[in-house]
């Protein structure tokens, strides 16, 4: 099939590349000239395991091409995906300006019948807005070209995006047009043929499915963080409670890991967008509001523990931070808990030495660029030298089994605040560490 992908970010680049890998011909479009130029030269804008090799291979074969010209893409293809950002607007709602701008461009330049697939996460009713926008442009041109707008929300996770896309739990398509639904079935057949994973529905339900999936996952995390906060106040250990409940298959083990809050480009904005969708429809969504409120506080919990241990004034103190990205296996810093934690510590006078396997450039360039109290180190151990404590914020694999003897030698004081409950409490205590976790009573 001949496809275009508008927006070559995490979703667009991964989706376009995976479709090309399955033998389709894909044109990726982005307004960011620098990004497109880099992609043409084999420079990948994001870190995502397995992506670079796949992009280069398909680009070399000519099945994956890059352009800033949507006109060229519209002329050469029959299906166009919209995969641009839908960031949080000032009132919490999803900002649709990028999606509608693409719709406008489609209406201005389409030359033949097109299937327009919305892959961005958008509020219920957006497909209608996309349709109206395209139609308005066609009317201005005085042409009558048929088109179908359908919804195909994306469920991939950063850090395992290729794997998630290649082996999806499900593919959700919302479409009113049978013709468009059949085209989508054919397109996704190589990804869904082993099991019945293709789920067809109406457009509005498909749009709502995406927000519901993210909101329930975020709810599990905030719920478990709340349980963790209760556990440590009543002398229970959330690590044991987690295993105790996960063994019930109705509850399950996934997404019940407590920690220093959820981040990323999706949960924070999508939970708030769902709140706004509900309010606009005249409903006050109390659970969803609580999920967001608990998460906001949870991002401060690790810093609160440091303050409780060292006092409000942290002048003259230095802390090592292990992990900056919002989760392992990505360089994405959007809404990362590390930003809140570092801000809480440095505003009280502390200095930070941070290490992350992939996200330090991103942190330096954007997210922590205005904070002069943060230094970056070449290795995880270098961050420890003389520090008053180490804070583990992101559970990268290389932090899972560190050399605790070297850590003890390097740290000024053998103190660890673990925001992801990675180590064995008894063993660390025997080695002479003071070790703090989330949801475990302080002794
Ligand atoms: N990141 C994820 O893991 C993930 C997963 C599922 C769904 N989503 C959703 O997918 C959408 C895209 O997210 P993302 O993380 O890939 O975003 P992103 O910010 O990484 O990428 C968006 C890209 O769109 C480009 N763009 C903006 N306007 C454009 C235009 N008019 N024409 C062409 N290109 C344009 C930008 O330059 C950018 O490269 C969002 O709605 C998001 O909520 C994201
Ligand atoms: O038990 C858990 C699981 C996750 N997290 C945190 O939750 C955040 C999000 O993690 P994850 O869901 O793995 O990453 P994302 O790449 O943001 O993926 C989510 O958001 C995407 C964008 O909408 C969806 O497509 C995915 O299905 C959905 O999992 C991270 O900060 C994690 O540290 C926890 O604190 N505890």
């Amino acid at each position: 099939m001949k496809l275009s992908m508008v927006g070559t970010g995490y979703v667009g680049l991964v989706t376009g590349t995976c479709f090309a890998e399955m033998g389709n011909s894909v044109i990726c479009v982005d307004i960011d000239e620098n990004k497109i130029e880099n992609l043409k030269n084999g420079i990948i804008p994001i870190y995502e395991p397995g992506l670079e090799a796949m992009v280069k291979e398909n680009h070399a074969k000519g099945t994956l091409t890059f352009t800033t010209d949507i006109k060229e893409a519209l002329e050469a293809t029959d299906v166009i995906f919209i995969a641009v950002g839908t960031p949080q607007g000032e009132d919490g709602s999803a900002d649709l300006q990028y999606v509608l701008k693409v719709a406008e461009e489609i209406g201005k330049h389409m030359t033949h019948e097109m299937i327009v697939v919305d892959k961005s996460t958008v509020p219920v009713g957006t497909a209608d807005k996309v349709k109206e926008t395209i139609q308005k442009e066609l009317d201005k041109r005085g042409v009558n070209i048929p088109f179908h707008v359908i919804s195909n929300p994306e469920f991939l996770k950063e850090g395992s995006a290729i794997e998630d896309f290649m082996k999806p739990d499900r593919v959700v398509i919302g479409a009113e047009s049978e013709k468009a639904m059949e085209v989508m079935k054919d397109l996704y057949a190589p990804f869904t043929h082993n099991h019945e994973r293709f789920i067809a529905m109406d457009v509005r339900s498909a749009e709502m499915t995406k927000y519901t999936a993210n909101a329930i996952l975020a709810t599990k995390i905030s719920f478990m963080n709340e349980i963790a906060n209760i556990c440590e106040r009543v002398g229970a250990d959330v690590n044991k409670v987690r295993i105790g409940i996960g063994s019930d298959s109705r509850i399950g083990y996934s997404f019940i890991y407590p920690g220093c809050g959820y981040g990323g480009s999706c949960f924070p904005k999508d939970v708030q967008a769902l709140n706004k969708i509900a309010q606009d429809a005249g409903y006050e969504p109390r659970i969803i509001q609580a999920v967001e409120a608990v998460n906001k506080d949870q991002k401060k919990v690790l810093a609160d523990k440091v303050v409780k241990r060292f006092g409000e004034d942290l002048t003259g103190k230095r802390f090592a931070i292990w992990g900056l990205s919002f989760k392992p296996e990505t360089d994405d810093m959007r809404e990362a808990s590390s930003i809140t934690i570092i801000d809480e510590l440095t505003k009280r006078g502390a200095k930070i030495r941070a290490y992350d396997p992939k996200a330090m450039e991103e942190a330096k360039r954007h997210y922590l660029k205005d904070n002069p109290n943060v230094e970056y180190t070449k290795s995880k151990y270098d961050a420890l030298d003389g520090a008053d404590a180490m804070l583990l914020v992101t559970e990268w694999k290389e932090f899972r089994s560190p050399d605790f003897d070297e850590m003890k030698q390097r740290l000024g004081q053998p103190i660890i605040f673990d925001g992801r409950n990675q180590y064995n409490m008894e063993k660390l205590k025997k080695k002479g560490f003071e070790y703090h976790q989330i949801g475990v009573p302080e002794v």
Side-chain angles (χ1 to χ4, degrees):
M1 231 176 258
K2 289 184 176 145
L3 317 169
S4 348
M5 189 64 57
V6 188
T8 51
Y10 283 87
V11 169
L13 188 56
V14 169
T15 306
T17 306
C18 291
F19 280 141
E21 183 76 8
M22 288 298 179
N24 299 289
S25 193
V26 183
I27 304 179
C28 289
V29 185
D30 207 289
I31 41 166
D32 185 336
E33 286 176 13
N34 199 24
K35 203 180 247 190
I36 291 297
E37 211 36 52
N38 280 340
L39 281 163
K40 283 181 180 169
N41 293 316
I43 302 165
I44 313 300
I46 49 170
Y47 172 71
E48 189 60 48
L51 183 62
E52 187 169 346
M54 222 185 245
V55 170
K56 284 182 177 166
E57 202 177 299
N58 284 286
H59 186 49
K61 273 196 278 182
T63 49
L64 184 67
T65 54
F66 303 100
T67 180
T68 51
D69 185 4
I70 195 170
K71 227 169 122 184
E72 181 191 314
L74 280 161
E75 277 164 15
T77 63
D78 309 311
V79 180
I80 187 161
F81 282 78
I82 304 178
V84 297
T86 46
Q88 197 175 317
E90 269 173 29
D91 59 358
S93 62
D95 182 348
L96 292 178
Q97 62 166 309
Y98 305 101
V99 170
L100 296 180
K101 180 72 195 154
V102 177
E104 195 184 307
E105 293 292 312
I106 293 173
K108 274 189 180 144
H109 302 296
M110 65 190 265
T111 52
H112 56 275
E113 182 169 359
M114 293 295 296
I115 297 176
V116 179
V117 189
D118 180 24
K119 201 163 231 340
S120 298
T121 302
V122 291
V124 179
T126 301
D128 292 339
K129 289 187 184 160
V130 168
K131 212 170 178 174
E132 278 163 28
T133 308
I134 296 174
Q135 191 57 54
K136 208 166 127 195
E137 293 304 319
L138 292 177
D139 292 346
K140 274 193 211 162
R141 288 166 60 193
V143 292
N144 187 13
I145 307 171
F147 65 97
H148 316 271
V149 178
I150 69 176
S151 166
N152 170 213
E154 180 50 54
F155 301 99
L156 63 78
K157 299 183 288 304
E158 288 179 24
S160 56
I162 300 270
E163 168 133 12
D164 290 345
F165 195 86
M166 287 296 194
K167 296 180 196 154
D169 291 329
R170 78 294 210 189
V171 169
V172 172
I173 302 288
E176 316 307 339
S177 146
E178 269 178 40
K179 185 173 170 182
M181 189 64 91
E182 281 311 309
V183 171
M184 286 297 110
K185 266 190 193 154
D186 289 346
L187 179 62
Y188 277 106
F191 305 89
T192 54
H193 69 279
N194 287 336
H195 301 278
E196 198 29 80
R197 288 182 176 160
F198 189 92
I199 303 172
M201 57 180 78
D202 61 279
V203 174
R204 283 179 174 250
S205 303
E207 290 171 333
M208 190 65 183
T209 298
K210 175 63 195 175
Y211 282 107
T212 308
N214 274 1
I216 198 158
L217 292 170
T219 303
K220 282 182 94 172
I221 299 168
S222 273
F223 179 83
M224 214 48 201
N225 282 332
E226 189 149 271
I227 294 294
N229 295 336
I230 301 171
C231 279
E232 63 185 48
R233 286 166 175 79
V234 299
D237 179 342
V238 75
N239 299 309
K240 294 178 181 149
V241 174
R242 180 178 60 75
I243 293 166
I245 60 164
S247 53
D248 181 333
S249 63
R250 293 171 303 174
I251 299 171
Y253 288 108
S254 58
F255 277 77
I256 56 169
Y257 287 84
C260 38
Y262 60 73
S265 67
C266 294
F267 287 173
K269 83 167 168 61
D270 291 348
V271 167
Q272 288 178 65
L274 185 54
N275 178 39
K276 191 70 178 36
I277 291 168
Q279 285 179 331
D280 288 349
Y283 181 78
E284 211 52 52
R286 287 163 295 169
I287 294 177
I288 288 158
Q289 287 166 2
V291 168
E292 155 70 10
V294 168
N295 193 57
K296 211 163 162 229
D297 289 349
Q298 196 67 20
K299 286 184 165 180
K300 292 187 182 161
V301 162
L302 211 58
D304 289 347
K305 285 179 188 281
V306 173
V307 170
K308 195 171 160 206
R309 171 66 176 75
F310 291 97
E312 270 293 336
D313 184 5
L314 297 175
T315 314
K317 298 273 180 274
R318 183 151 50 75
F319 299 103
I321 300 273
W322 280 11
L324 294 168
S325 56
F326 83 96
K327 65 182 266 190
E329 298 299 332
T330 179
D331 59 354
D332 198 340
M333 286 285 299
R334 290 180 278 186
E335 303 282 337
S337 300
S338 63
I339 302 168
T340 309
I341 293 166
I342 289 173
D343 185 45
E344 289 294 313
L345 299 179
T346 55
K347 79 180 185 198
R348 292 179 169 89
K351 301 262 188 225
I352 301 293
R353 295 189 91 198
Y355 171 76
D356 186 285
K358 294 285 176 207
M360 290 194 290
E361 277 312 308
E362 195 61 9
K364 269 185 228 171
R365 245 185 298 141
H366 301 294
Y367 295 87
L368 298 169
K369 79 173 183 345
D370 298 327
N371 194 331
N373 297 307
V374 188
E375 247 186 84
Y376 302 90
T377 60
K378 283 206 166 66
S379 82
K380 59 179 181 285
Y381 296 118
D382 288 350
L384 304 175
D385 289 333
D388 291 285
M390 183 276 261
L391 278 70
L392 186 129
V393 180
T394 316
E395 68 280 28
W396 283 89
K397 283 196 194 85
E398 69 168 271
F399 302 153
R400 302 240 178 115
S401 296
D403 180 340
F404 289 110
D405 295 331
E406 173 151 12
M407 286 178 75
K408 211 170 156 197
Q409 267 174 15
R410 295 246 197 160
L411 278 164
Q413 304 191 63
I415 305 176
I416 297 175
F417 293 89
D418 183 348
R420 301 288 169 186
N421 293 5
Q422 293 293 296
Y423 307 133
N424 182 300
M425 178 78 76
E426 294 310 312
K427 285 189 184 157
L428 278 195
K429 287 206 166 147
K430 269 194 201 136
K431 280 187 177 292
F433 280 92
E434 181 184 316
Y435 180 47
H436 304 263
Q437 287 193 334
I438 305 277
V440 179
E442 303 282 329
V443 282

